[in-house]
Amino acid sequence: MILALSFSASAQLNTPRGSQQATVSQRVGITDISITYARPSVNGREVWGKLVPYGMNNLGFGTATAAPWRAGANENTTITFSHDAKVEGKPIKAGTYGLHIEVKPDNTATLILSNDTNAWGSFFYDANNDALRADISTKTVSHKELLTFEFNTVGTNSAVASLIWEKKEFPFTIEVDVTNVVLDEFRAKSIGQTGFQRQNWENMANYALNNGGDLNEALTWIDKAIAGQFFSQKTFNNLAIKGQILNKLGKTNEYAELMDEASAMANANQLNTLGYQMLGAKDYDRALKYFKKNVADNPENANAYDSLGECYKTMGDKTNAIKSLKKALSLNPPANVKANSEKLLKELGAL
């Protein structure tokens, strides 16, 4: 924090400053979070309780009589969210906010996000403009000469941002509802050019399927891909996605019938996947049908025989399991297929 003010030409012109400006960014899902700030040095000074006073203070300039720390130097430190998020469990709308901190002497602090982003430091801070306040705990860390913001922990749906300076760290958690952010963005864009591409409807239906989206909405989307007004086209991919949605909705008969249709379009790997899906569903008749079709369509494919042998083994047909697995080994299989066939044959007492 620099309390000295200078309104010389250097405050208006693009000239170097003692506290250099920096921006750090992190993406969570498709949400971009960025913090822009100026980086003062410790420079041998006593920081906490001295250079940065504890609590809310009258800094002797501006309109604020009770101001927090500006969390940097020069203009407002700002934080920007490209989508709605949560900070320390509290909702914050997409946008840019001034970032301030009320530092306390007991290893706690209050993070303040303000709707005012254009002020110089905290001299004009007004609590009426607060968008969010959250109490946080600080940590003691090794010496950091330059004030630094970092994203040290990043997960699928969250990130931890930290201000680190001198020997103190101020971490705060940012959470994003990634699934709904992605799906909301598609909903908004689907009425434009995005909605005229079959693959976009397939991708979003698949995303909703695998990320906790509304399955009935996902079913509507995949139907648009399969029988859309402008791009009607059945493929193995979109039939398989629809089948998985139907299965999750408990419509197992519709799912199985659709997989029969999809199997007619499937390549070797896709047929193999279908077979294992049916094994998992304990629909052994369909599993066996798909694995047999794969062998018939690809008679030199060792993996096809390996999978057929595994199906027979699962069904308790030891004779045909051994026959298929030995056939797989005779076709000079890749290492992973060979290892699986040998493992299954040992379990069957045939190797």
Side-chain angles (χ1 to χ4, degrees):
M1 177 177 179
I2 299 176
L3 296 179
L5 294 174
S6 173
F7 292 100
S8 64
S10 64
Q12 301 172 16
L13 300 176
N14 189 19
T15 55
R17 297 175 175 180
S19 298
Q20 299 281 10
Q21 198 162 22
T23 298
V24 60
S25 298
Q26 179 61 53
R27 174 164 285 198
V28 178
I30 63 169
T31 297
D32 291 316
I33 306 157
S34 62
I35 302 172
T36 298
Y37 63 107
R39 307 186 66 189
S41 298
V42 174
N43 200 23
R45 296 173 290 183
E46 186 176 350
V47 175
W48 310 114
K50 294 293 184 179
L51 183 64
V52 177
Y54 294 126
M56 306 288 281
N57 296 274
N58 188 335
L59 302 176
F61 181 83
T63 57
T65 58
W69 177 42
R70 72 181 81 179
N74 303 328
E75 302 95 331
N76 275 175
T77 295
T78 60
I79 184 168
T80 300
F81 308 93
S82 64
H83 298 89
D84 294 354
K86 287 184 178 180
V87 176
E88 288 295 307
K90 298 183 177 184
I92 190 77
K93 291 291 186 182
T96 300
Y97 300 89
L99 193 161
H100 307 268
I101 296 176
E102 179 188 352
V103 184
K104 301 173 184 178
D106 61 350
N107 296 322
T108 65
T110 299
L111 176 73
I112 303 169
L113 301 188
S114 171
N115 289 308
D116 186 356
T117 62
N118 298 314
W120 185 274
S122 300
F123 300 108
F124 300 90
Y125 169 77
D126 184 346
N128 291 321
N129 290 331
D130 287 356
L132 180 145
R133 297 175 68 93
D135 294 328
I136 60 175
S137 298
T138 65
K139 297 179 180 179
T140 300
V141 295
S142 57
H143 181 82
K144 177 80 75 172
E145 178 65 20
L146 276 174
L147 188 149
T148 302
F149 276 94
E150 298 178 355
F151 289 92
N152 290 322
T153 302
V154 181
T156 303
N157 299 289
S158 65
V160 177
S162 288
L163 184 158
I164 308 170
W165 196 31
E166 202 255 357
K167 293 183 178 180
K168 194 179 285 286
E169 177 180 357
F170 300 80
F172 54 96
T173 300
I174 301 167
E175 298 170 276
V176 179
D177 186 351
V178 174
T179 294
N180 280 325
V181 167
V182 171
L183 297 179
D184 282 346
E185 182 159 298
F186 176 70
R187 293 180 189 113
K189 290 183 176 180
S190 65
I191 61 174
Q193 187 176 357
T194 297
F196 289 86
Q197 299 179 44
R198 171 177 56 82
Q199 291 85 351
N200 290 336
W201 294 99
E202 292 175 357
N203 289 340
M204 282 301 100
N206 192 50
Y207 183 85
L209 166 68
N210 292 298
N211 291 277
D214 185 318
L215 291 176
N216 287 301
E217 183 177 44
L219 188 60
T220 299
W221 289 348
I222 199 62
D223 281 339
K224 285 181 181 290
I226 294 171
Q229 182 177 357
F230 302 105
F231 41 70
S232 176
Q233 183 182 359
K234 285 184 179 181
T235 67
F236 173 84
N237 188 52
N238 56 40
L239 290 179
I241 292 169
K242 181 174 181 177
Q244 291 175 65
I245 294 170
L246 290 170
N247 194 35
K248 272 197 173 182
L249 286 169
K251 300 178 179 182
T252 52
N253 289 336
E254 292 179 53
Y255 160 62
E257 290 171 4
L258 197 65
M259 293 303 92
D260 284 343
E261 185 177 359
S263 69
M265 307 176 185
N267 62 31
N269 289 334
Q270 292 165 341
L271 266 175
N272 212 48
T273 298
L274 282 183
Y276 279 109
Q277 284 179 3
M278 291 305 162
L279 271 186
K282 296 185 173 12
D283 188 341
Y284 298 127
D285 289 341
R286 277 193 168 85
L288 185 60
K289 179 171 68 173
Y290 297 156
F291 287 131
K292 281 184 172 181
K293 184 178 188 305
N294 209 8
V295 165
D297 292 348
N298 304 279
E300 300 302 316
N301 187 318
N303 190 50
Y305 283 97
D306 174 78
S307 298
L308 178 60
E310 188 166 354
C311 179
Y312 277 127
K313 180 178 182 293
T314 302
M315 295 172 66
D317 186 340
K318 182 176 179 179
T319 299
N320 279 314
I322 293 171
K323 180 180 177 182
S324 297
L325 293 168
K326 287 188 174 181
K327 177 65 175 179
L329 291 177
S330 74
L331 292 172
N332 191 28
N336 63 320
V337 175
K338 180 181 179 182
N340 191 60
S341 293
E342 290 178 344
K343 177 178 88 61
L344 295 173
L345 285 168
K346 285 179 183 178
E347 291 172 0
L348 290 165
L351 189 66

